[in-house]
């Protein structure tokens, strides 16, 4: 009662990209980088209750050369940043990074000179995981999302085109101005596009007129 009985004549057709994506997502080996309390939740994820082994990820590599996923669990200090980058550079390609917890993602409550305000200043991040600390279930959800990303990764020329499209999409995400409007000339010819959230002028309770 295997998958071969569900296939016509035992033949399955697929593409090289899908086959490579399936093999990659099913053999992700993490290089754990536990730096603070998020590492305790990371350890719990590998326990019997949450069972990280069902994804084939129970093998935490002690050497970065045999790992392709870095899970940054906790705040990154300025002294630890070059060490983290060195380990990332030694990891095998292709490689991915999960930023686990708000401290790793944005510095969290440690808004000072000693803590890096986001590990994406040091290494490129694929999945941002919020929480302080995030539960093991949240880490499993981030891993599933990363698996989906790996599964749909393009190869060769298609990969270059995919990267270009993603970069163009991010460039189109323009920040809003203080007045809740888009930059000048965006959205309407020769003018500013007012957002619906701030279309009504503010009323002063004392003067009874718009400011």
């Amino acid at each position: 009662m295997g998958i071969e009985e569900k296939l016509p004549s035992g033949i399955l057709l697929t593409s090289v990209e899908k086959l490579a994506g399936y093999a990659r997502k099913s053999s992700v080996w993490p290089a754990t980088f536990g730096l603070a309390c998020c590492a305790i939740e990371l350890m719990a994820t590998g326990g019997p209750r949450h069972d990280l082994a069902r994804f084939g990820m129970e093998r935490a590599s002690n050497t970065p050369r045999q790992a392709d996923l870095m899970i940054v669990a906790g705040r990154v200090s300025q002294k630890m940043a070059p060490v983290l980058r060195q380990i990332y550079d030694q990891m095998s390609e292709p490689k991915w990074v999960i930023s686990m917890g708000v401290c790793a993602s944005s510095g969290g409550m440690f808004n000072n000179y000693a803590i890096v305000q986001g590990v994406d200043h040091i290494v490129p991040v694929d999945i941002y995981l919020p929480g302080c600390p995030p539960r093991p279930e949240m880490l499993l959800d981030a891993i599933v999302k990363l698996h989906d990303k790996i599964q749909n990764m393009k190869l060769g020329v298609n990969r270059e085109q995919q990267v270009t499209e993603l970069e163009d999409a991010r460039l189109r995400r323009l920040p809003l101005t203080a007045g809740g409007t888009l930059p000048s000339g965006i959205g309407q010819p020769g003018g500013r596009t007012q957002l619906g959230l701030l279309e009504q002028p503010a009323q002063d309770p004392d003067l009874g007129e718009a400011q």
Side-chain angles (χ1 to χ4, degrees), residues 18 20-21 37 63 79 93 101-102 110 163 176 198 201:
K18 291 183 178 179
C37 48
T63 167
K79 288 187 176 181
E93 291 282 355
V102 65
F110 302 99
V163 171
L176 300 179
L198 298 177

Side-chain angles (χ1 to χ4, degrees), residues 5 34 57 59 76 86 91 97 130 132 136 155 166 182 197 203:
E5 298 183 3
M57 297 176 59
R59 182 191 177 279
V76 182
Q86 182 180 10
M91 291 170 59
V97 176
C132 184
L155 298 178
L166 291 174
L182 294 174
L197 294 177
Q203 297 287 336

Side-chain angles (χ1 to χ4, degrees), residues 147-165:
H147 283 176
D148 183 69
K149 182 177 182 179
I150 297 173
Q151 174 73 63
N152 298 310
M153 181 181 294
K154 303 296 183 180
L155 298 178
V157 180
N158 295 334
R159 174 61 180 167
E160 297 177 0
Q161 181 180 358
Q162 183 185 34
V163 171
T164 302
E165 292 175 354

Side-chain angles (χ1 to χ4, degrees), residues 55-75:
F55 301 108
M57 297 176 59
E58 73 277 9
R59 182 191 177 279
S61 300
N62 293 320
T63 167
R65 292 175 178 84
Q66 297 179 1
D68 50 11
L69 171 62
M70 174 181 284
I71 303 177
V72 183
R75 58 188 180 270

Side-chain angles (χ1 to χ4, degrees), residues 182-194:
L182 294 174
S184 179
I186 302 298
Q188 291 182 356
R192 301 169 72 89
T193 304
Q194 184 71 32

Side-chain angles (χ1 to χ4, degrees), residues 42 45 71 98 100 129 135-143:
L42 175 59
T45 309
I71 303 177
I98 292 180
M100 181 178 179
L129 178 57
R135 290 278 300 160
E137 296 87 351
M138 298 174 65
L139 178 58
L140 291 177
D141 180 70
I143 290 174

Side-chain angles (χ1 to χ4, degrees), residues 76-96:
V76 182
S77 64
Q78 297 288 352
K79 288 187 176 181
M80 187 59 69
V83 179
L84 187 147
R85 181 67 199 193
Q86 182 180 10
I87 293 178
Y88 176 82
D89 291 337
Q90 292 175 350
M91 291 170 59
S92 58
E93 291 282 355
K95 50 192 173 185
W96 302 274

Side-chain angles (χ1 to χ4, degrees), residues 107-145:
M109 66 189 80
F110 302 99
N111 186 14
N112 54 49
Y113 65 92
I115 302 299
V116 177
Q117 301 302 299
V119 70
D120 50 5
H121 291 281
I122 311 301
V123 295
V125 176
D126 296 280
I127 301 291
Y128 292 92
L129 178 57
C132 184
R135 290 278 300 160
E137 296 87 351
M138 298 174 65
L139 178 58
L140 291 177
D141 180 70
I143 290 174
V144 170
K145 287 182 170 60

